[in-house]
């Protein structure tokens, strides 16, 4: 799952870098933000799908883009919908599939911010694992991934237990399927590198942080899932793969390695 979402996020990150000036402006609506939508098929509690990305609210209108996971029909779908009182309806259109969601918005403690029912229909994608399908959904508004980051981990090929510290900042919500992440980190304890810049993205709770050197060369990638504690993100649990490239790489990094780690996020 980490690698699948990392690929989708990386592709979206590349696409956003080539985007046009027609991107929608940020909105201050109450439903605007980064969302994770979990869908469970009727009668099949083990069959589920996710959608993740950004919504924008302007008055009663909802727009945005989300990632839909449904191998081999996964992709990014545009979102259009409306809010009437506490009722909400959304239509998502990934290539070859149409997803409609109808539900309610709640601010009650212990209840998801959004929940209801969904229908998935095929509009041309061959091999869909979900269309046709109906079920129920819940949706969570993911708090921004911004703050001071720290981590201590084991680097087997380097033969050290280094620490990583720095800061990450989540960019503005533009209604895209991913929201950019920027920042920087430093390493201590004899790791392969001494510092790196963060060029990443988040969609729902899936995070990719590409680490680059001062020349912009990618030296590694952190990919994983953020963990939400109440109304804040406290950590990202996943893996860090370093590539042994770029300025300052030591010989211990040339082969590359994948390290499981948890990055702690603290409000700055």
């Amino acid at each position: 799952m980490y690698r699948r979402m990392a690929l989708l996020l990386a592709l979206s990150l590349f696409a956003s870098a080539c985007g046009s000036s027609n991107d929608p402006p940020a909105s201050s609506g109450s439903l605007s933000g980064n969302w994770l939508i979990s869908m469970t098929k009727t009668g099949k509690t083990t069959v589920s799908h996710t959608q993740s990305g950004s919504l924008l609210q302007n008055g009663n209108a909802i727009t945005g883009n989300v990632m839909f996971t449904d191998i081999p029909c996964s992709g990014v779908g545009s979102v259009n919908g409306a809010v009437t009182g506490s009722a909400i309806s959304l239509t998502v259109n990934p290539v070859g599939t149409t997803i409609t969601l109808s539900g309610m918005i709640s601010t009650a403690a212990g209840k998801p911010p959004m929940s209801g029912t969904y229908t998935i229909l095929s509009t041309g994608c061959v091999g869909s694992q979900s269309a046709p399908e109906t079920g129920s959904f819940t949706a969570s508004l993911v708090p921004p991934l911004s703050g001071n980051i720290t981590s201590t981990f084991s680097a087997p090929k380097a033969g050290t237990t280094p620490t990583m510290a720095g800061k990450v900042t989540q960019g503005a919500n533009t209604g895209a399927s991913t929201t950019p992440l920027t920042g920087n980190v430093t390493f201590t304890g004899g790791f392969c590198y001494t510092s790196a810049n963060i060029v990443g993205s988040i969609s729902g709770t899936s995070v990719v942080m590409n680490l680059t050197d001062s020349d912009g060369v990618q030296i590694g990638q952190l990919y994983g899932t953020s963990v939400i504690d109440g109304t804040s993100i406290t950590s990202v649990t996943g893996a860090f793969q370093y590539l042994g490239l770029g300025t300052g790489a030591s010989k211990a990094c040339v082969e590359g390695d994948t390290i499981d780690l948890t990055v702690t996020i603290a409000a700055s």
Side-chain angles (χ1 to χ4, degrees):
M1 176 60 74
Y2 288 157
R3 293 185 182 277
R4 183 184 305 165
M5 289 305 300
L7 176 60
L8 286 173
L9 283 170
L11 290 174
S12 293
L13 187 61
F14 173 79
S16 66
C18 302
S20 70
S21 60
N22 294 323
D23 291 337
S27 168
S28 59
S30 61
L31 297 183
S32 295
N34 173 31
W35 285 83
L36 176 65
I37 303 172
S38 301
M39 304 182 295
T40 303
K41 183 178 180 179
T42 300
K44 299 285 186 178
T45 57
T46 59
V47 178
S48 61
H49 313 281
T50 61
Q51 296 183 92
S52 63
S54 298
L55 300 181
L56 290 170
Q57 181 178 354
N58 270 315
N60 293 332
I62 304 293
T63 57
N65 289 273
V66 297
M67 292 183 182
F68 175 52
T69 305
D70 178 29
I71 303 298
C73 302
S74 300
V76 174
S78 60
V79 181
N80 288 280
V83 177
T84 304
S86 60
I88 185 169
S89 59
L90 302 173
T91 300
V92 185
N93 289 291
V95 176
T97 310
T98 295
I99 307 163
T100 57
L101 303 99
S102 178
M104 304 295 290
I105 302 167
S106 175
T107 57
K111 289 188 176 182
M114 193 189 306
S115 61
T117 59
Y118 72 89
T119 300
I120 304 176
L121 297 176
S122 174
T123 58
C125 180
V126 177
S128 169
Q129 298 178 7
S130 59
E133 182 178 301
T134 60
S136 59
F137 79 89
T138 59
S140 299
L141 183 59
V142 181
L145 184 66
S146 294
N148 297 317
I149 61 179
T150 56
S151 180
T152 300
F153 55 95
S154 174
K157 291 189 183 299
T160 62
T161 305
T163 61
M164 178 175 66
K167 186 174 183 178
V168 62
T169 301
Q170 183 170 315
N173 172 22
T174 63
S177 60
T178 64
T179 305
L181 300 172
T182 57
N184 54 77
V185 293
T186 58
F187 298 97
T188 59
F191 189 50
C192 307
Y193 309 99
T194 57
S195 64
N197 297 317
I198 297 172
V199 182
S201 61
I202 183 170
S203 181
T205 56
S206 296
V207 176
V208 169
M209 294 184 192
N210 296 316
L211 302 184
T212 65
D213 67 10
S214 57
D215 295 322
V217 176
Q218 184 176 346
I219 60 177
Q221 183 182 77
L222 169 66
Y223 53 92
T225 302
S226 59
V227 178
I228 304 172
D229 181 10
T231 58
S232 64
I233 291 180
T234 58
S235 63
V236 176
T237 300
F240 173 59
Q241 183 178 50
Y242 54 89
L243 306 178
L245 302 172
T247 304
S250 69
K251 292 182 179 180
C253 286
V254 173
E255 293 183 51
D257 198 7
T258 299
I259 304 166
D260 294 327
L261 79 166
T262 296
V263 176
T264 301
I265 311 292
S268 55

